[in-house]
Amino acid sequence: MNKKQITLSDLAKELGISTATVSRALKDYPDISDETKVRVLGLAKKWNYRPNSMAAGLRKRESKVIGVIVPDIINHFFSSVIKGIMSVAYDADYRVMLMQSDESFEKEQVDAEALFSSRVDGVLVSVAHGTKSYEHLLQFNNSGIPIVFFDKVPKEVVDSSKVMVDDFHGAFSVVEHLLEQGCRHIAHFRGPQLASTSINRYEGYLAALKKYDLPVNEALILECEELTLEEGQAFTNRILNSGQPVDGIFAVTDAVALGTLVALREAGKKVPQEIAVAGFSDWKISAILDPPLTSVAQPSEEMGTLAAKLLLKEIAGMKDDEEVSPETIILRTELKIRKSSMKKTFL
Amino acid sequence: MNKKQITLSDLAKELGISTATVSRALKDYPDISDETKVRVLGLAKKWNYRPNSMAAGLRKRESKVIGVIVPDIINHFFSSVIKGIMSVAYDADYRVMLMQSDESFEKEQVDAEALFSSRVDGVLVSVAHGTKSYEHLLQFNNSGIPIVFFDKVPKEVVDSSKVMVDDFHGAFSVVEHLLEQGCRHIAHFRGPQLASTSINRYEGYLAALKKYDLPVNEALILECEELTLEEGQAFTNRILNSGQPVDGIFAVTDAVALGTLVALREAGKKVPQEIAVAGFSDWKISAILDPPLTSVAQPSEEMGTLAAKLLLKEIAGMKDDEEVSPETIILRTELKIRKSSMKKTFL
DNA sequence: CTGAAAGCGCTAACAC
DNA sequence: GTGTTAGCGCTTTCAG
């Protein structure tokens, strides 16, 4: 039971050489005799030596860690993005420090500070609903730490790379589809005012209505805070009880759409005959429901890998003092038409 | 645009005092005059000073980081556990370095090494299916770094704390319930041979059959590798085509159970009248399916918070050179009976 | 091919 | 109440 952790100088002492030589041997440096290399490697393995990356990081001024801030890990979309990020990080020999903002501006600020203190080499952020200013994130830029935003990006112009999905077009296409199916009174359960994604989806919804010269009925637009199944359920009941005519519902997220389906089932409404339903995210289970849910698929894991690759590129550029100009990548969504919206089939 | 990061000595120089004093002022030390404290804090804020935690860590021999290794982040169960871990870590001012083993023994080893190199203060691990030995994890113990296992724990006796759910009893109770409902030919889609959770659930299944003096029909026991919906679907079809009598199916996981439901729906089998179905995990959506799925609920987020608290306690004990004896916490599951298994109602 | 020495940024005795 | 000093473990000139 060896409580003490092995250091370079432990190895050096035992071999009667300098720490510099040990360090070089371990790093497979050119100017080192095969003999010492073998001896060093042998002893390192014997003692199970593991370099202290805090020491190396301090010296080299790089931590080999990237920080990630997401609003909520449980969300399947974000956990997929994280998976993508982690696989790229792994391949590039970077570690991932994960933070969760819980959609809170204050927590996001604390998280950002912690990442800064950890001297992460770069940061990936999807901003919280509650975020209203960006100084806490811009400090990274100002200190030479690249930052790449993904999914929910700052509304104001920020001089950083961004990776997002085409929420506007995704929403537009699904609402257009509902219209094509004959819907004329489409409700929209939108997301929070401040989130870039919900704004864009909302605008896609408006644009589709406009294309069909339909008026916007404010009574049919409800704003989710939690984006939960329960909210979808409650909003659906509210709409049904309002007496407003409704023949279609577009929910900002599949979670909300599922709540909608449950409420409609309980109210004895036929989907899609009486009310067509569509969501956004294309959860795996959405496809196996009865009726299967029409939704907009977004490439989540790909978003993670792209964002991470972009970040690593910028980190590398930073090291070489290159000029790295920010990029913006917009990923295409894909409309998945399923029974929940196929009104025409039942005419 | 200030690329250089502010250090203690930058502040010290500007104030004409020593770095030690600055450090103490920042830490709110007792023996420091209010005047200097104010001056230091003011300047630190002005320059947006952030301590370099690599330097502090190197000096104090603690990183304030805990490492977490899970098989798969996308899995809702694990992301819930992680959420629990992160909230405890956040409150205790610890950071989380997250690793994903992808159920691979080799990757788990690499991950463990990386965490070790990062000199994390403690480690939380749920072992991969493929893990067949534990030296890579025991090295933490041997170096004075506490490790707490959760959910999928090492089979062999390991002198570390563990937090798990009572898989055996959970499985036993749900299979017993199926038997009470009149099932006599219950299939089990089990998980991988090496995973502690699937072993325990399998044994719970066997024990329930035994209690009813029923023979074990090997033809009705199929082993999942991926634990996916697709596997559940395929296995269900295989069983149906085999001609074996079946009136109940217990799937090791809700994902697999959902696949089962889909296959049964496609085959035109009535659930639960012809075949009762039950899962394990109690996914949120399982409750809103038609029919709603009977399942075994396990407290995932709580598992994360308990494991993290245990770990922090051991880290604290380690610092104070106390003897910390490993604990094992077993969390109760809860049987959620829903329509998919309620055969009796239809008699 | 190898060693000596300096230093990354911080903290903690120990002085005074 | 504050400064001096040493050193955490590593990398990297610069010598030789």
Side-chain angles (χ1 to χ4, degrees):
Chain A
M1 181 124 333
N2 170 27
K3 294 284 174 191
K4 187 181 175 295
Q5 282 156 15
I6 314 298
T7 70
L8 270 191
S9 75
D10 292 333
L11 300 182
K13 234 168 274 171
E14 180 154 348
L15 292 171
I17 56 180
S18 76
T19 63
T21 307
V22 178
S23 174
R24 284 187 278 236
L26 255 15
K27 290 284 143 48
D28 213 22
Y29 252 63
D31 278 353
I32 205 91
S33 78
D34 282 348
E35 197 211 325
T36 44
K37 203 179 289 184
V38 171
R39 290 180 64 215
V40 169
L41 259 39
L43 194 65
K45 168 162 276 179
K46 178 181 167 197
W47 288 120
N48 199 27
Y49 169 76
R50 298 275 173 267
N52 181 328
S53 59
M54 289 193 286
L58 182 59
R59 175 66 230 240
K60 297 203 292 184
R61 300 154 152 285
E62 65 168 8
S63 58
K64 283 287 186 180
V65 175
I66 60 178
V68 176
I69 305 181
V70 292
D72 182 16
I73 332 172
I74 293 195
N75 187 310
H76 185 264
F77 173 75
F78 285 122
S79 56
S80 303
V81 178
I82 295 171
K83 188 182 179 113
I85 292 171
M86 301 234 313
S87 81
V88 170
Y90 182 86
D91 291 340
D93 198 28
Y94 274 80
R95 256 60 64 196
V96 169
M97 191 167 278
L98 183 62
M99 302 289 190
Q100 193 183 21
S101 66
D102 286 332
E103 300 286 9
S104 145
F105 179 38
E106 288 72 27
K107 197 152 186 288
E108 188 178 277
Q109 290 175 305
V110 177
D111 287 346
E113 280 202 16
L115 290 180
F116 196 99
S117 258
S118 297
R119 295 295 189 271
V120 293
D121 293 341
V123 183
L124 291 162
V125 180
S126 185
V127 302
H129 289 156
T131 298
K132 19 190 175 293
S133 78
Y134 301 98
E135 293 96 50
H136 60 300
L137 298 173
L138 295 180
Q139 70 174 315
F140 288 108
N141 285 326
N142 298 339
S143 311
I145 298 175
I147 179 167
V148 172
F149 292 96
F150 63 92
D151 195 49
K152 298 199 289 178
V153 305
K155 287 172 308 298
E156 298 155 29
V157 200
V158 172
D159 191 34
S160 303
S161 291
K162 303 182 184 67
V163 181
M164 38 198 174
V165 299
D166 194 346
D167 288 291
F168 175 88
H169 182 261
F172 178 86
S173 66
V174 69
V175 175
E176 188 180 36
H177 159 72
L178 291 175
L179 292 163
E180 281 167 5
Q181 291 291 315
C183 298
R184 283 303 171 269
H185 304 282
I186 302 176
H188 178 35
F189 300 162
R190 59 161 298 173
Q193 296 279 357
L194 286 171
S196 63
T197 47
S198 36
I199 296 170
N200 294 334
R201 291 176 201 176
Y202 171 62
E203 286 175 351
Y205 161 80
L206 295 181
L209 293 187
K210 187 164 187 186
K211 180 173 174 191
Y212 273 65
D213 285 323
L214 290 174
V216 176
N217 181 352
E218 292 292 346
L220 291 182
I221 299 175
L222 297 179
E223 186 180 327
C224 300
E225 282 177 27
E226 310 285 334
L227 299 171
T228 56
L229 204 143
E230 288 76 13
E231 260 181 339
Q233 233 170 326
F235 285 178
T236 305
N237 289 328
R238 201 190 297 175
I239 292 267
L240 290 179
N241 295 332
S242 74
Q244 293 278 341
V246 210
D247 52 13
I249 297 177
F250 165 47
V252 67
T253 274
D254 272 17
V256 178
L258 294 190
T260 300
L261 287 178
V262 171
L264 291 174
R265 187 170 71 205
E266 285 171 356
K269 295 285 180 191
K270 286 200 185 112
V271 177
Q273 294 93 316
E274 297 178 71
I275 301 183
V277 178
F280 202 113
S281 303
D282 193 38
W283 283 6
K284 188 152 195 180
I285 46 102
S286 303
I288 62 150
L289 292 172
D290 189 25
L293 178 68
T294 290
S295 192
V296 179
Q298 41 184 358
S300 47
E301 200 165 328
E302 188 187 354
M303 174 177 277
T305 54
L306 286 173
K309 281 180 184 165
L310 207 50
L311 183 68
L312 292 179
K313 204 173 79 181
E314 298 193 6
I315 291 173
M318 207 81 233
K319 273 214 294 208
D320 305 348
D321 270 322
E322 287 167 18
E323 265 310 311
V324 268
S325 46
E327 288 177 49
T328 294
I329 299 178
I330 297 183
L331 298 173
R332 303 271 319 168
T333 56
E334 191 186 348
L335 179 57
K336 301 279 191 180
I337 298 174
R338 304 201 183 90
K339 193 180 161 195
S340 77
S341 67
M342 293 166 67
K343 247 187 160 65
K344 274 194 174 164
T345 324
F346 294 91
L347 288 182
Chain B
M1 180 122 338
N2 170 25
K3 294 285 176 191
K4 187 180 173 298
Q5 282 155 14
I6 314 298
T7 70
L8 271 191
S9 75
D10 292 333
L11 300 182
K13 233 168 272 170
E14 180 154 349
L15 292 171
I17 57 181
S18 76
T19 63
T21 307
V22 178
S23 173
R24 285 187 278 235
L26 254 16
K27 291 283 144 49
D28 212 23
Y29 251 61
D31 279 354
I32 205 93
S33 77
D34 282 349
E35 197 211 325
T36 43
K37 203 179 288 184
V38 170
R39 291 180 63 216
V40 169
L41 257 40
L43 193 67
K45 168 162 275 179
K46 179 181 167 197
W47 289 119
N48 200 26
Y49 169 76
R50 298 274 174 269
N52 181 328
S53 58
M54 288 192 288
L58 182 58
R59 175 66 231 238
K60 297 203 291 182
R61 301 150 154 286
E62 65 168 8
S63 58
K64 284 285 185 182
V65 174
I66 61 179
V68 177
I69 306 180
V70 291
D72 182 16
I73 331 173
I74 293 195
N75 186 309
H76 185 264
F77 173 76
F78 285 121
S79 55
S80 303
V81 178
I82 295 171
K83 188 182 180 112
I85 293 171
M86 301 234 312
S87 80
V88 170
Y90 181 85
D91 291 340
D93 198 30
Y94 273 80
R95 257 59 66 199
V96 169
M97 191 167 277
L98 184 62
M99 303 288 188
Q100 193 183 21
S101 66
D102 287 332
E103 300 286 9
S104 145
F105 178 40
E106 288 71 27
K107 197 152 185 287
E108 189 177 276
Q109 290 175 305
V110 177
D111 287 346
E113 280 201 16
L115 290 181
F116 196 99
S117 259
S118 298
R119 295 296 188 269
V120 293
D121 293 342
V123 183
L124 290 163
V125 180
S126 185
V127 302
H129 289 157
T131 298
K132 18 189 176 292
S133 77
Y134 302 98
E135 291 97 51
H136 60 300
L137 298 173
L138 295 180
Q139 70 175 316
F140 289 108
N141 286 327
N142 299 338
S143 312
I145 298 175
I147 178 168
V148 172
F149 293 96
F150 64 92
D151 195 49
K152 298 199 286 178
V153 304
K155 288 173 307 300
E156 298 156 29
V157 201
V158 172
D159 192 34
S160 303
S161 291
K162 304 182 183 69
V163 181
M164 38 196 176
V165 300
D166 194 346
D167 289 291
F168 176 87
H169 182 261
F172 179 86
S173 65
V174 69
V175 175
E176 188 180 34
H177 159 71
L178 291 175
L179 292 164
E180 280 166 6
Q181 291 291 315
C183 298
R184 284 302 172 270
H185 303 281
I186 303 175
H188 178 36
F189 300 162
R190 59 161 298 171
Q193 296 280 355
L194 286 171
S196 62
T197 48
S198 37
I199 296 170
N200 293 334
R201 291 176 200 176
Y202 172 63
E203 286 174 350
Y205 162 80
L206 294 183
L209 294 187
K210 188 164 184 185
K211 180 174 174 190
Y212 273 67
D213 286 322
L214 290 174
V216 175
N217 182 352
E218 292 291 347
L220 291 182
I221 299 175
L222 297 178
E223 185 180 327
C224 301
E225 281 177 29
E226 311 284 335
L227 299 171
T228 56
L229 204 144
E230 287 76 12
E231 259 181 339
Q233 232 170 326
F235 284 179
T236 305
N237 289 328
R238 201 190 296 174
I239 291 269
L240 291 178
N241 296 333
S242 73
Q244 292 279 340
V246 209
D247 52 13
I249 296 178
F250 165 47
V252 67
T253 273
D254 271 17
V256 178
L258 294 189
T260 299
L261 287 178
V262 171
L264 291 175
R265 186 169 74 206
E266 286 171 356
K269 294 285 180 191
K270 286 198 185 112
V271 177
Q273 296 92 316
E274 296 179 72
I275 300 184
V277 178
F280 203 114
S281 302
D282 193 38
W283 282 7
K284 188 154 193 176
I285 45 100
S286 301
I288 62 151
L289 292 172
D290 190 25
L293 178 68
T294 290
S295 193
V296 178
Q298 41 183 359
S300 47
E301 200 164 329
E302 189 187 352
M303 173 177 277
T305 54
L306 286 174
K309 281 179 185 166
L310 206 50
L311 183 68
L312 292 179
K313 203 173 78 180
E314 298 194 6
I315 291 174
M318 208 79 232
K319 272 213 294 207
D320 305 347
D321 269 323
E322 288 167 19
E323 264 313 310
V324 268
S325 47
E327 288 177 48
T328 294
I329 299 179
I330 297 183
L331 298 172
R332 302 272 318 169
T333 56
E334 192 185 349
L335 179 57
K336 301 280 191 181
I337 298 175
R338 303 200 185 91
K339 193 179 160 194
S340 76
S341 67
M342 294 165 68
K343 247 187 160 65
K344 275 193 173 165
T345 324
F346 294 90
L347 286 183

